[in-house]
Amino acid sequence: MRFLILGGDSRNIMLAQCLAHAGHNVQMSGLGNDSENQTPIIVKIKEAINSYDYIVGPLPFTIDGENLHMPLSKDTVKLNDLIDVFTGNKVLIAGKIPVNFTEKLIENDIAVYDYLDRDEMSILNSIPTAEGAIQIAMEELPITIHGVNALVLGYGKTGKTLAGKLHALGANTYVCARKSVDFALCEVNNLYSTDYKKVDSIIQNMDVIFNTVPAIVLDSTRLSHVRRDCLIIDLASKPGGCDFDYAKENGIKIIHALSLPGKVAPITAANILYKVIEHIIDERS
Amino acid sequence: MRFLILGGDSRNIMLAQCLAHAGHNVQMSGLGNDSENQTPIIVKIKEAINSYDYIVGPLPFTIDGENLHMPLSKDTVKLNDLIDVFTGNKVLIAGKIPVNFTEKLIENDIAVYDYLDRDEMSILNSIPTAEGAIQIAMEELPITIHGVNALVLGYGKTGKTLAGKLHALGANTYVCARKSVDFALCEVNNLYSTDYKKVDSIIQNMDVIFNTVPAIVLDSTRLSHVRRDCLIIDLASKPGGCDFDYAKENGIKIIHALSLPGKVAPITAANILYKVIEHIIDERS
Amino acid sequence: MRFLILGGDSRNIMLAQCLAHAGHNVQMSGLGNDSENQTPIIVKIKEAINSYDYIVGPLPFTIDGENLHMPLSKDTVKLNDLIDVFTGNKVLIAGKIPVNFTEKLIENDIAVYDYLDRDEMSILNSIPTAEGAIQIAMEELPITIHGVNALVLGYGKTGKTLAGKLHALGANTYVCARKSVDFALCEVNNLYSTDYKKVDSIIQNMDVIFNTVPAIVLDSTRLSHVRRDCLIIDLASKPGGCDFDYAKENGIKIIHALSLPGKVAPITAANILYKVIEHIIDERS
Amino acid sequence: MRFLILGGDSRNIMLAQCLAHAGHNVQMSGLGNDSENQTPIIVKIKEAINSYDYIVGPLPFTIDGENLHMPLSKDTVKLNDLIDVFTGNKVLIAGKIPVNFTEKLIENDIAVYDYLDRDEMSILNSIPTAEGAIQIAMEELPITIHGVNALVLGYGKTGKTLAGKLHALGANTYVCARKSVDFALCEVNNLYSTDYKKVDSIIQNMDVIFNTVPAIVLDSTRLSHVRRDCLIIDLASKPGGCDFDYAKENGIKIIHALSLPGKVAPITAANILYKVIEHIIDERS
């Protein structure tokens, strides 16, 4: 396959290497590799576009809603200009692509895949997220994960992987969930489980608490049960799942850890993009 | 809570013990414990019904569509007669309840819960099913599970639990699935995965194959790749997922193993019903 | 390498297949394959002996102390006659070889290896032994191994492997040991541990007890704490580690399970002999 | 029991807390808590000694061979002076106690226990050591431990625990060992194993290598097979097991990680001392 990697951060450079390593024909643009003072990227892309089957854009696609996210390049590419460029039997793969942009491309017969629509992407990302969370716990705690009392709030994709790894490392792992299917899955996976009513009674025994729920589950009431030497690692995307003010006033340490895959394992993060692209290729064949 | 356990097989007797053990008030009827030559069960139930909050029926609720499934009793109870009996603020919990029967009860303000609608039930049942399948493999194979090449077809509830236990026992565990999320989950769970196109190339290396898919995935073509000393255990409900005729003609051993929980671990099977009932009580409180 | 497989049971036939499969030159004698009414085996061996580097004998080498253990053959071979046959730069590998026989061979410059002197053999055999014990527990218990309270008496080679597999299958696994190093190893391996003083207080909670200690650890006092529905599997070689009379009188079920590898996984058992032989070859090179 | 904690670093302060928490009567001396400008410690100890059953000293007992290791105190205590103080039916527990000092105490009827003679101590310490090593790998590698190719050199106490945890985290874990029993144990524990002859052929595939062998196993020849992006973590005590000069010249990153328990998990490290002391008390009762 012939790939044009267009914009994005260093993850896209590593992704280009993965694709090339797998035998694909790969070209990069807007990644700081275009020689300066010359033809604008958009023109070059226009000239080159017919040589590629797949165009791989950044994640996120745009920050300001107008320009392609292209932090490693001095050049800029307007989304509006791209619409005319993307023609023919092409496939675009990128992340968080604006809806109206996607619609226009589909009108132009472009097949569009958004990473964020791919459940397997968040499942695979749960691996570096869980490891990153465990790494932080190892760094911060004066005790080993082995034998620690650990509570995982939420049993979605990240909660499942994290609880599994904590258990594998010998932590006494408790999961707090809502649904009866989750309690059943915890039993299958040899994890202690509790619900949000009963969790308060065990919270004071915890040495570390990981939150994966994007809602204020660690409110002031629940935080009031937390021991002062307990570490809280909040993995929920902004604004997180804790009453940070209450925690600060009461000397409870919370680390709000975001975007862990790119931080703790950038090559793995790029490799996950690669795997998703391979799946897409497989599905199209 | 006050429970009337009504009909069903020995599982319901054990379930009654679980409920009593947990401190509930439990009465059994239609389980061979009613003294003979006396008032018909239906009359006794009618008299007693107001003393109970929960009526727990059999799984399946009926075999012939007309009578309650009550194999341990010499008496019979017609579903039609039951409808008039079930009145007031009662809850009925049973399995595979006929739709029209459920509808009539709901009209009578009875809350109806069917085990088969409870996903946590099939998740919990996947534990004895997986163990039963492994027990059969241990009994049949002249080699240990440890180090065996094992293929699990399908990665639903049973496939997940089974593959996890095989891996835990040291089997080289391969999962054949269709969806990209399943491949991602296999990666999280350290399992080799393949799809239905590529599985044929590894099938000849397998020592044991477990099917969990309710469709003919092991057709004659695929079976033609299976080694003669490979054991196949089909866990899919009737008619199963194999071309049994082809297998027989070609000396391939297939064991069609059904209803394993009740067979290999009847007390666990009853205990699972108990857990589901506890969940229902929790949800109603 | 050129191997002469001499006597023994069906395990030696499977061993011959393993060796041949690995590319070695293999001949069998005294395994029921010698044509009848002809030259006695001992004469044939004498003629053939120079063609082989390794002679692989039975395990055990002899039952009566006079003749080679050769249950599959109608012929007999006296140990005394073998001494003269084994000459030159040969290697003998077998199990439980009588000491005086070994001494005479060594005088004749024969290198002698006894399986029973090989610790790796008992470690490898602990795998089928543990699986066999678990298989019996699965067959006998009306509950799953998953979630069972299991006690392993002794933390030697078999105890370690068995406890590890029980834990992996989701059993609440307790180990009873004597030495502080064993308590430490249990902690490393996430197992509950107790000593022989404290074990009596937990014994009544156990659903299954596995004994690996070759001494009467389950005496009448300790058995008096065992629940009637608890299953005991005694893996200790004769006479075992239980007061069987007391158990019988009191309705406690004990299964004395011996020689499990050959029974539950004969090909694996043969393969273990093969691996030990490969190690010996490696060490000699 | 009544304990005098005498000298040592912050681990001994935390140990005192563990012992007090367990209900023992605990006094500290030489840990910076003695008020200044007053009676010398040695005098106070002399006066107090009869009130204690156990004296717990530092690990190591002495750095210079003359004075007790007491880095948190401004005072000094000469070993020679201690000999006269230790009288009566006392027990001394400490680490790396000089042989001649131990002999003199034994003459005085003091029971002496050295941590370093306790195998369970090094087994328990293998847990924080393994976690610390994994933490470093997580921090240094741009990929996750999950899916990494990891080689552990040596399969002693640390090697066993480390390889087990790497496997549990989803690493492709290879162990390099010498003895056939170790290969057998690796098989039991589902680990790939190799010996020092064959390891060179896989070394180039490794992403991370952990050395636990106190000998130069990673010499220049072996290092020449290591990839430039491979991380080496040397856990062997000084001088370590690598040709550090060769590594430096050739751009291979080696981290020589020593005394990890105290660094990454000081409370766990103190707790391990506590557990050893509990074992000693148990053995003496």
Side-chain angles (χ1 to χ4, degrees):
Chain A
M1 297 288 173
R2 298 163 305 169
F3 284 87
L4 175 65
I5 313 293
L6 185 57
D9 54 25
S10 60
R11 202 158 32 160
N12 261 5
I13 297 177
M14 289 183 271
L15 169 59
Q17 289 164 350
C18 290
L19 287 164
H21 190 77
H24 296 293
N25 186 327
V26 183
Q27 193 68 32
M28 291 191 280
S29 216
L31 281 155
N33 56 331
D34 310 274
S35 48
E36 297 180 31
N37 296 326
Q38 290 187 346
T39 334
I41 288 185
I42 192 71
V43 176
K44 291 201 287 181
I45 295 171
K46 211 166 190 167
E47 290 169 6
I49 198 79
N50 284 320
S51 311
Y52 304 105
D53 310 298
Y54 284 82
I55 296 105
V56 177
L59 161 58
F61 199 66
T62 175
I63 300 274
D64 59 9
E66 292 198 6
N67 296 284
L68 193 72
H69 183 48
M70 220 162 69
L72 301 177
S73 169
K74 292 176 180 169
D75 217 326
T76 57
V77 169
K78 290 205 170 306
L79 298 195
N80 279 339
D81 294 343
L82 270 180
I83 288 173
D84 300 330
V85 171
F86 286 168
T87 55
N89 202 14
K90 304 294 166 208
V91 181
L92 171 69
I93 304 174
K96 231 177 172 175
I97 314 173
V99 179
N100 62 340
F101 187 76
T102 301
E103 285 167 354
K104 286 176 193 159
L105 289 180
I106 290 172
E107 283 171 22
N108 288 2
D109 283 330
I110 303 287
V112 181
Y113 293 87
D114 196 308
Y115 292 127
L116 299 200
D117 296 338
R118 306 289 302 191
D119 269 352
E120 92 254 39
M121 168 113 170
S122 37
I123 293 172
L124 292 173
N125 268 334
S126 74
I127 298 174
T129 299
E131 274 202 19
I134 288 172
Q135 177 185 325
I136 293 170
M138 285 177 165
E139 288 165 353
E140 295 289 332
L141 290 173
I143 52 180
T144 52
I145 300 299
H146 187 110
V148 92
N149 287 334
L151 173 63
V152 177
L153 297 165
Y155 202 59
K157 297 186 186 78
T158 300
K160 280 190 182 70
T161 303
L162 177 56
K165 288 193 177 292
L166 287 168
H167 177 70
L169 279 174
N172 304 314
T173 311
Y174 298 78
V175 169
C176 182
R178 275 184 312 109
K179 292 182 288 180
S180 52
V181 289
D182 286 338
F183 302 139
L185 284 172
C186 282
E187 183 157 340
V188 169
N189 294 317
N190 302 306
L191 301 166
Y192 304 115
S193 66
T194 185
D195 62 25
Y196 287 92
K197 288 180 223 157
K198 297 177 199 139
V199 72
D200 286 357
S201 67
I202 62 161
I203 229 166
Q204 64 191 2
N205 301 321
M206 295 299 128
D207 301 305
V208 60
I209 299 173
F210 300 88
N211 176 50
T212 69
V213 182
I216 304 295
V217 285
L218 285 169
D219 56 17
S220 58
T221 312
R222 218 161 254 147
L223 284 175
S224 71
H225 297 292
V226 170
R227 284 207 323 268
R228 287 305 160 272
D229 62 342
C230 175
L231 173 70
I232 297 176
I233 299 176
D234 191 351
L235 301 168
S237 52
K238 279 183 185 171
C242 307
D243 184 332
F244 290 97
D245 292 337
Y246 179 91
K248 202 170 181 183
E249 284 162 21
N250 289 273
I252 298 168
K253 183 159 195 179
I254 303 183
I255 294 176
H256 197 179
L258 297 174
S259 307
L260 287 177
K263 286 176 190 163
V264 301
I267 293 184
T268 298
N271 202 34
I272 288 172
L273 298 183
Y274 165 71
K275 283 176 186 168
V276 173
I277 292 172
E278 287 286 312
H279 287 167
I280 292 170
I281 295 172
D282 261 18
E283 287 166 17
R284 295 181 59 82
S285 73
Chain B
M1 298 287 174
R2 297 164 305 169
F3 284 87
L4 176 65
I5 312 294
L6 186 57
D9 54 23
S10 60
R11 201 158 35 161
N12 261 5
I13 297 177
M14 290 184 271
L15 169 59
Q17 291 165 351
C18 291
L19 286 163
H21 190 77
H24 295 294
N25 186 326
V26 182
Q27 193 68 32
M28 291 191 280
S29 217
L31 282 155
N33 56 328
D34 310 275
S35 49
E36 297 182 28
N37 296 323
Q38 290 188 348
T39 333
I41 288 185
I42 191 72
V43 175
K44 291 200 288 182
I45 296 172
K46 210 165 191 168
E47 290 167 8
I49 198 81
N50 284 320
S51 312
Y52 303 103
D53 311 300
Y54 285 81
I55 296 107
V56 177
L59 162 56
F61 199 66
T62 177
I63 301 275
D64 59 9
E66 292 196 6
N67 296 284
L68 193 73
H69 183 50
M70 217 161 71
L72 300 178
S73 169
K74 291 174 179 172
D75 217 327
T76 56
V77 170
K78 291 208 169 306
L79 298 196
N80 279 339
D81 295 342
L82 271 180
I83 288 172
D84 299 330
V85 172
F86 286 170
T87 56
N89 203 12
K90 304 295 166 207
V91 181
L92 171 69
I93 304 173
K96 230 177 173 175
I97 315 173
V99 178
N100 61 339
F101 186 77
T102 300
E103 284 168 355
K104 286 174 194 162
L105 290 180
I106 291 172
E107 283 171 21
N108 289 0
D109 283 331
I110 303 288
V112 181
Y113 292 87
D114 197 310
Y115 292 128
L116 300 201
D117 296 338
R118 307 288 302 190
D119 268 352
E120 91 256 40
M121 168 112 170
S122 37
I123 293 171
L124 291 172
N125 267 334
S126 74
I127 298 173
T129 299
E131 274 202 19
I134 288 171
Q135 178 185 324
I136 294 170
M138 285 177 165
E139 288 165 353
E140 296 289 331
L141 290 173
I143 52 178
T144 53
I145 300 299
H146 187 109
V148 91
N149 288 334
L151 173 63
V152 177
L153 296 165
Y155 202 58
K157 297 187 186 78
T158 300
K160 280 190 182 69
T161 304
L162 177 56
K165 287 193 178 292
L166 288 167
H167 177 69
L169 280 172
N172 305 314
T173 311
Y174 297 78
V175 169
C176 182
R178 273 185 312 112
K179 293 183 287 183
S180 52
V181 288
D182 286 339
F183 302 140
L185 284 172
C186 283
E187 182 156 341
V188 168
N189 294 316
N190 301 308
L191 301 165
Y192 303 115
S193 66
T194 184
D195 62 25
Y196 288 92
K197 286 182 224 155
K198 296 176 200 140
V199 72
D200 287 356
S201 67
I202 62 161
I203 229 165
Q204 64 192 2
N205 300 322
M206 294 300 128
D207 300 305
V208 59
I209 299 173
F210 300 89
N211 176 49
T212 70
V213 182
I216 304 295
V217 285
L218 285 169
D219 56 16
S220 58
T221 312
R222 219 162 253 146
L223 283 175
S224 72
H225 296 293
V226 171
R227 284 206 324 265
R228 287 303 161 271
D229 62 343
C230 176
L231 173 70
I232 297 176
I233 299 176
D234 191 350
L235 302 168
S237 52
K238 281 184 184 171
C242 307
D243 185 332
F244 290 96
D245 292 337
Y246 178 91
K248 202 170 180 183
E249 284 162 21
N250 289 274
I252 298 169
K253 182 158 195 178
I254 304 183
I255 294 176
H256 197 179
L258 297 174
S259 308
L260 286 177
K263 286 176 190 163
V264 301
I267 293 185
T268 298
N271 202 35
I272 288 171
L273 298 184
Y274 165 70
K275 282 176 186 168
V276 172
I277 291 173
E278 286 286 311
H279 286 168
I280 291 170
I281 295 173
D282 261 18
E283 288 167 17
R284 294 181 59 82
S285 72
Chain C
M1 298 287 174
R2 297 163 305 168
F3 284 86
L4 176 64
I5 313 293
L6 185 56
D9 54 24
S10 60
R11 202 158 35 161
N12 261 5
I13 297 176
M14 289 183 271
L15 170 60
Q17 290 164 351
C18 289
L19 287 163
H21 190 78
H24 296 293
N25 185 327
V26 183
Q27 194 68 31
M28 290 191 279
S29 216
L31 280 155
N33 56 329
D34 311 275
S35 48
E36 297 181 30
N37 295 327
Q38 290 187 347
T39 332
I41 289 184
I42 191 72
V43 174
K44 290 201 288 182
I45 296 171
K46 211 166 190 167
E47 290 168 8
I49 197 79
N50 284 319
S51 313
Y52 303 105
D53 310 299
Y54 285 80
I55 296 107
V56 177
L59 162 55
F61 199 66
T62 175
I63 301 273
D64 58 10
E66 292 197 6
N67 296 285
L68 193 72
H69 183 49
M70 220 162 68
L72 300 178
S73 170
K74 292 176 179 169
D75 216 326
T76 57
V77 169
K78 292 206 169 305
L79 298 196
N80 278 340
D81 295 344
L82 270 181
I83 288 173
D84 300 331
V85 171
F86 285 170
T87 56
N89 202 14
K90 304 295 167 208
V91 181
L92 172 68
I93 304 174
K96 234 178 171 174
I97 314 172
V99 179
N100 61 339
F101 186 77
T102 301
E103 284 168 355
K104 285 175 194 161
L105 290 180
I106 291 173
E107 282 171 22
N108 288 2
D109 283 332
I110 303 290
V112 181
Y113 292 86
D114 196 310
Y115 291 128
L116 299 200
D117 295 338
R118 308 287 305 189
D119 269 353
E120 94 254 39
M121 168 112 169
S122 37
I123 294 171
L124 292 173
N125 267 334
S126 74
I127 299 173
T129 299
E131 274 203 18
I134 288 171
Q135 178 185 324
I136 294 170
M138 285 176 165
E139 288 165 352
E140 297 289 330
L141 289 173
I143 51 178
T144 53
I145 300 297
H146 187 109
V148 92
N149 287 334
L151 173 64
V152 177
L153 297 165
Y155 202 58
K157 298 187 185 78
T158 300
K160 280 190 182 70
T161 303
L162 177 56
K165 288 193 177 292
L166 287 167
H167 177 70
L169 280 173
N172 305 313
T173 311
Y174 298 79
V175 170
C176 183
R178 277 184 311 110
K179 292 183 287 182
S180 51
V181 289
D182 286 339
F183 302 138
L185 284 171
C186 283
E187 182 156 341
V188 169
N189 294 316
N190 302 308
L191 301 165
Y192 303 114
S193 66
T194 185
D195 62 26
Y196 287 91
K197 287 181 224 158
K198 296 177 200 136
V199 73
D200 286 357
S201 67
I202 61 161
I203 229 167
Q204 64 190 4
N205 300 323
M206 294 300 127
D207 300 305
V208 61
I209 300 173
F210 299 89
N211 176 50
T212 70
V213 181
I216 304 296
V217 286
L218 284 169
D219 56 17
S220 58
T221 312
R222 219 160 255 146
L223 284 176
S224 71
H225 297 292
V226 170
R227 283 207 324 266
R228 288 303 161 272
D229 62 342
C230 175
L231 173 70
I232 298 176
I233 299 175
D234 191 350
L235 301 168
S237 52
K238 281 186 184 169
C242 307
D243 185 331
F244 291 96
D245 293 337
Y246 179 91
K248 203 171 180 182
E249 284 161 21
N250 288 273
I252 299 169
K253 182 159 195 179
I254 304 184
I255 294 175
H256 197 178
L258 297 174
S259 307
L260 286 176
K263 286 176 191 164
V264 300
I267 293 184
T268 299
N271 202 35
I272 288 171
L273 298 183
Y274 165 71
K275 282 176 186 168
V276 173
I277 291 172
E278 286 286 312
H279 286 167
I280 291 170
I281 295 173
D282 261 17
E283 287 167 18
R284 294 181 59 82
S285 73
Chain D
M1 298 285 174
R2 296 162 307 167
F3 284 87
L4 176 64
I5 313 294
L6 186 56
D9 53 24
S10 60
R11 205 162 26 165
N12 262 4
I13 297 176
M14 288 183 272
L15 169 59
Q17 291 164 350
C18 290
L19 286 163
H21 190 77
H24 296 294
N25 186 326
V26 183
Q27 194 68 34
M28 291 191 279
S29 218
L31 281 155
N33 56 330
D34 310 273
S35 48
E36 296 184 29
N37 295 326
Q38 289 187 349
T39 334
I41 288 185
I42 190 71
V43 175
K44 290 199 287 181
I45 296 172
K46 212 166 191 168
E47 290 168 6
I49 197 82
N50 283 320
S51 312
Y52 304 103
D53 311 298
Y54 285 81
I55 297 106
V56 177
L59 162 56
F61 199 66
T62 176
I63 301 275
D64 60 9
E66 293 197 5
N67 296 285
L68 193 72
H69 183 49
M70 218 162 68
L72 300 178
S73 170
K74 292 175 179 169
D75 217 327
T76 57
V77 169
K78 290 207 170 305
L79 298 197
N80 278 339
D81 295 342
L82 270 181
I83 288 173
D84 299 331
V85 170
F86 284 169
T87 56
N89 202 14
K90 303 296 165 208
V91 181
L92 172 68
I93 304 173
K96 230 178 174 175
I97 314 173
V99 178
N100 61 340
F101 186 76
T102 301
E103 284 167 355
K104 285 176 193 161
L105 289 180
I106 290 172
E107 283 171 21
N108 289 1
D109 284 329
I110 303 289
V112 181
Y113 293 86
D114 196 311
Y115 292 126
L116 300 201
D117 296 338
R118 308 287 304 189
D119 269 353
E120 92 254 39
M121 167 113 170
S122 37
I123 293 171
L124 291 172
N125 268 333
S126 73
I127 299 173
T129 300
E131 273 202 18
I134 288 171
Q135 178 185 324
I136 293 170
M138 284 176 166
E139 288 164 353
E140 296 288 332
L141 290 172
I143 51 179
T144 53
I145 300 297
H146 188 110
V148 91
N149 288 334
L151 173 64
V152 177
L153 297 165
Y155 201 58
K157 297 186 186 78
T158 300
K160 280 188 182 71
T161 303
L162 177 56
K165 288 192 178 292
L166 288 166
H167 177 69
L169 280 173
N172 305 313
T173 311
Y174 297 79
V175 170
C176 182
R178 274 184 312 111
K179 292 183 289 182
S180 52
V181 289
D182 287 338
F183 302 139
L185 284 171
C186 283
E187 182 157 341
V188 168
N189 294 316
N190 302 308
L191 301 165
Y192 303 114
S193 66
T194 184
D195 62 24
Y196 288 92
K197 286 181 225 155
K198 296 176 200 139
V199 71
D200 286 357
S201 67
I202 61 162
I203 229 166
Q204 64 191 3
N205 300 323
M206 295 300 128
D207 301 305
V208 59
I209 300 173
F210 301 89
N211 176 49
T212 70
V213 182
I216 304 296
V217 285
L218 285 169
D219 56 17
S220 58
T221 312
R222 218 162 255 145
L223 283 175
S224 72
H225 297 291
V226 170
R227 285 206 323 266
R228 287 303 160 273
D229 62 344
C230 175
L231 173 69
I232 297 176
I233 299 176
D234 192 350
L235 301 168
S237 51
K238 280 184 184 170
C242 308
D243 185 332
F244 291 96
D245 292 338
Y246 178 91
K248 203 170 179 182
E249 284 163 21
N250 289 273
I252 299 169
K253 182 159 195 179
I254 303 184
I255 294 176
H256 197 179
L258 297 174
S259 308
L260 286 177
K263 286 176 191 162
V264 300
I267 293 185
T268 298
N271 203 35
I272 288 171
L273 298 183
Y274 164 70
K275 282 176 186 168
V276 173
I277 291 173
E278 286 286 312
H279 286 168
I280 291 171
I281 294 173
D282 261 18
E283 287 167 18
R284 295 181 59 83
S285 71

